[in-house]
Structure formats: C-alpha cells, structure tokens
Amino acid sequence: MSRENFKYWICQIVGWGAYAGISIFFYLTLSTRKIDNFFLLVAIDILIGLGVSHLMRMVIKEYKFLQNYIQKQIVLFGITIIVFSVVYACADVGIEKLLGVKDTMGENISVWNEIARNSINNFFILFIWNLIYYTYHYIEFNRLQELNTLKLKASVKELELKTIKSHINPHFIFNALNSIRALVDENPVRARTAITELSNILRSSMQTEKLETVPLERELNIVKDYLALEQMRFEERLKVELKIDEDTLEQPVPPMMLQTLVENAIKHGISKKMNGGVIRIISSFKNDHHELIVQNTGQLSGHFNEDGFGIRSTQDRLNLLYHGNAVFSLTNLNDEMVQTKIVIPV
C-alpha cells in the first residue's frame, strides 16, 4: 500500500469512526426514545458510507475532476454529492429493509419517501466529506506546485552559475596563454616560470569549479599567481599593492570573481598605458559588510562599462548568490584611477 493510500484509509477510518461516535453519543445522552437495533443501524450506515465515499473517490480520480478549472470543479462537486447521496440512501434503505431492521419511528411511509429523506441527510454528510477531500488536495496541489517552482528556480540558478563559470574560465585561460606566448621567444626561462604559475592557477580554478563561494584567502592566492605571471610580461610597468585586512581572509567570495576583476583592470587599464600603472586590491569590513575593492590606473569608457563580459558576469553572479543584497559599482575614482567596488553582506 502506498503512503498516499495509507493516509487516505486512516482518514476514512478516523472520519467515519468519529461520525459513528457522535451518533452514539447523541443517542445515549439526548435521545428521548429507545431505537431497536440502534447500534446495528449505525454499523450498517457507517459501512455503506465508507463504501460509497470510496466509490465516489474512485470516480473523482478516474475522471480527473481535480484537474479541471475551478468553475467546472464546483459544478462537478455538486453533481457528485447529489448522485452519491441518492446511491447512499438507496443502499442504506435497501439493506435495512432486507434485514428487517429499519427504524421508521412508527411512521408508515413509502420506500421512495425514505430514500428522499435519507438522501437529504446523506447530502450534508457527503458535502462535508467532499469539502475535506477537495480542500486537502487543493492545499497539497499548491504545496507541490510551490515546491516544484522552488526546485525549478534552484535548477535555473545552478545552470546560470555554471554557464557564467564556463565563460569565465576559458576567458581567463586564453588571456593567460597569450601572455605566455609573448614570453616564449623573448625569455624562455620566464616562459617556463609562467607555465608553472599558470598550472597553479588552473589547478586552483578547477578545484573551485564545484563551489559557489571560497575563502578570500584562497581567491587571493589565485590572484597573486596571476599577477606574478602578468608582471613577467609588463615587468616594471605593473605595480601591485595589497591592502588586506587579515580578518577578511576567511570571508566567502565567489570563486574566480576577484581574478576576473583584476584581469579586466589589466586588460582595459594597465595594458593601454605606455607607462603601465598600479593595481591595488583592498579588502576590509565596513558597517557589517565586506568591501572588496580593485583600483587600477586608467579611465572608464562607455564601451567597457556596457559590454565587458567580466563585469556582466560578476554582476550576474552577485545577484544570483546574494539575491540582490550585494552591491557592485564601477566608477572613475579620479582623473587617473578606476575603482571597482563590491559590497557583500556579512
């Protein structure tokens, strides 16, 4: 027996058992006359009610009443109760007549009148049964729909993050390989050193591929390897300054995010300056937020601000991971410096 059917039968037994208990209670406490075979009559009524309600459920499931729009469900709800109230009454009156245990309170009434009267009584019983059944399935349907929606959103979020990562890693690799290629003829020794640095970076990036966040210290190690590689290409044209609050080293940040910002700073800032410039990385706590700042020599252009993939991917990742609670800004700090600032709630 499935879990759903087990719960259904428990509810059936408890519900009809409660109906029997209420009937017996009122008979024993409020009835002013003795009814022959009362307990047998109650037992027959409960057993027939159990069977009729189960048959009614089978019809509801077989013809998928619950999958119709709400207006049609209401119409089917009413028709179902009327039909099965009559079925309930016919079975009840028929079996009691067959067994000769029907209590008519001394009245001489026809079978059709008995069926009509029982149908009215049964209508209210089955109305309550159906109301409970429909309400339960309506709530369960909405709960499952909400759960499926959350699962879908989570899947979309995971897919978006993986897509962003799949763009970031090749973007970084191609730039790094171009840097190494520039060193191969000019300085083979440094090129070999650069390959070692690149292997360290790739190893670290592959290890973080399955992680949504990593400690800042781990991300900084990748950035230091990348900057060491780039310093071989730019030599004295590239100066690096780190201002890192040690208390922030354990703070979680999206993997490869800082490296992407530094890479953009070099590509769009330092590499376009004949005399090179400065890359400054700052990490600190302010007002219960983690501020991560990358400053570089250069000036923003509209083209860079709108179309740079690294900037878009960073914004997308922050929105997905922190649900809009992280702040990203890219501005000209002054006439010589550009600042990228990320504020993440602690």
Side-chain angles (χ1 to χ4, degrees):
M1 181 183 294
S2 67
R3 183 178 179 183
E4 180 183 354
N5 282 332
F6 178 76
K7 287 167 61 177
Y8 162 75
W9 281 111
I10 290 295
C11 290
Q12 277 280 72
I13 293 170
V14 171
W16 287 104
Y19 173 60
I22 292 170
S23 299
I24 294 171
F25 172 79
F26 280 108
Y27 172 71
L28 294 177
T29 57
L30 300 178
S31 179
T32 57
R33 70 183 186 88
K34 185 177 183 301
I35 299 175
D36 294 334
N37 303 308
F38 173 78
F39 293 101
L40 178 59
L41 290 170
V42 170
I44 292 172
D45 193 34
I46 296 303
L47 290 174
I48 294 174
L50 194 64
V52 168
S53 60
H54 180 64
L55 180 62
M56 185 167 57
R57 173 180 180 258
M58 291 174 63
V59 171
I60 292 172
K61 292 186 69 176
E62 177 67 24
Y63 293 97
K64 299 179 172 59
F65 287 3
L66 295 170
Q67 296 182 17
N68 293 296
Y69 53 87
I70 189 66
Q71 291 87 346
K72 190 172 182 180
Q73 282 192 43
I74 293 173
V75 173
L76 293 172
F77 177 82
I79 294 173
T80 303
I81 295 173
I82 293 172
V83 170
F84 280 94
S85 294
V86 175
V87 172
Y88 191 171
C90 289
D92 200 7
V93 172
I95 291 176
E96 289 174 355
K97 288 285 186 183
L98 182 66
L99 297 178
V101 293
K102 179 63 182 175
D103 176 62
T104 60
M105 299 181 292
E107 300 174 347
N108 185 18
I109 58 176
S110 67
V111 171
W112 297 113
N113 285 337
E114 286 187 51
I115 291 174
R117 187 167 62 184
N118 274 21
S119 296
I120 294 172
N121 293 332
N122 295 338
F123 179 88
F124 294 103
I125 296 170
L126 295 184
F127 178 86
I128 294 172
W129 190 97
N130 266 284
L131 188 63
I132 294 171
Y133 184 81
Y134 271 71
T135 301
Y136 169 80
H137 282 279
Y138 180 78
I139 294 173
E140 187 71 7
F141 173 79
N142 284 317
R143 187 187 70 82
L144 290 175
Q145 192 173 43
E146 183 177 351
L147 183 62
N148 289 334
T149 300
L150 291 173
K151 287 181 178 179
L152 178 61
K153 287 181 178 179
S155 298
V156 170
K157 177 179 175 180
E158 183 180 358
L159 179 61
E160 287 177 332
L161 286 171
K162 287 182 177 179
T163 301
I164 291 169
K165 286 181 180 180
S166 70
H167 279 68
I168 290 174
N169 288 340
H171 182 69
F172 157 68
I173 293 169
F174 295 147
N175 281 344
L177 288 174
N178 285 333
S179 298
I180 294 173
R181 185 180 64 180
L183 290 174
V184 170
D185 295 329
E186 179 184 339
N187 194 328
V189 175
R190 289 189 178 182
R192 286 195 294 271
T193 304
I195 291 172
T196 301
E197 296 288 351
L198 178 59
S199 68
N200 291 337
I201 297 169
L202 293 178
R203 186 181 301 109
S204 298
S205 65
M206 289 170 63
Q207 290 172 349
T208 61
E209 184 67 26
K210 296 181 180 179
L211 302 174
E212 300 300 343
T213 60
V214 295
L216 175 62
E217 184 175 18
R218 186 170 175 176
E219 180 75 357
L220 275 173
N221 289 334
I222 298 176
V223 171
K224 287 176 182 177
D225 284 336
Y226 174 78
L227 288 172
L229 188 153
E230 291 292 67
Q231 279 182 316
M232 292 181 182
R233 180 161 65 101
F234 287 96
E235 296 181 338
E236 70 277 359
R237 292 176 59 214
L238 175 61
K239 295 180 177 60
V240 177
E241 297 179 6
L242 300 178
K243 296 183 179 180
I244 309 298
D245 183 344
E246 291 187 359
D247 291 337
T248 66
L249 292 176
E250 295 301 317
Q251 284 300 303
V253 296
M256 303 301 292
M257 182 187 69
L258 180 59
Q259 186 276 330
T260 301
L261 298 180
V262 171
E263 182 181 345
N264 273 322
I266 291 177
K267 179 180 178 181
H268 297 282
I270 306 300
S271 64
K272 295 185 178 181
K273 294 291 183 181
M274 184 176 296
N275 296 324
V278 176
I279 294 288
R280 184 180 298 120
I281 302 173
I282 304 169
S283 176
S284 61
F285 287 124
K286 285 190 179 179
N287 300 323
D288 296 326
H289 286 76
H290 179 202
E291 289 191 356
L292 193 57
I293 297 171
V294 176
Q295 297 174 349
N296 65 275
T297 302
Q299 284 289 283
L300 285 178
S301 66
H303 175 76
F304 168 70
N305 190 27
E306 295 176 1
D307 298 331
F309 176 80
I311 301 305
R312 292 200 314 274
S313 66
T314 300
Q315 290 174 316
D316 290 342
R317 295 177 76 189
L318 290 171
N319 287 331
L320 285 167
L321 287 171
Y322 299 102
H323 309 289
N325 293 320
V327 178
F328 176 91
S329 63
L330 179 62
T331 58
N332 286 318
L333 188 62
N334 51 45
D335 293 339
E336 297 182 353
M337 298 290 288
V338 175
Q339 175 174 283
T340 305
K341 184 177 182 180
I342 294 171
V343 181
I344 299 173
V346 176

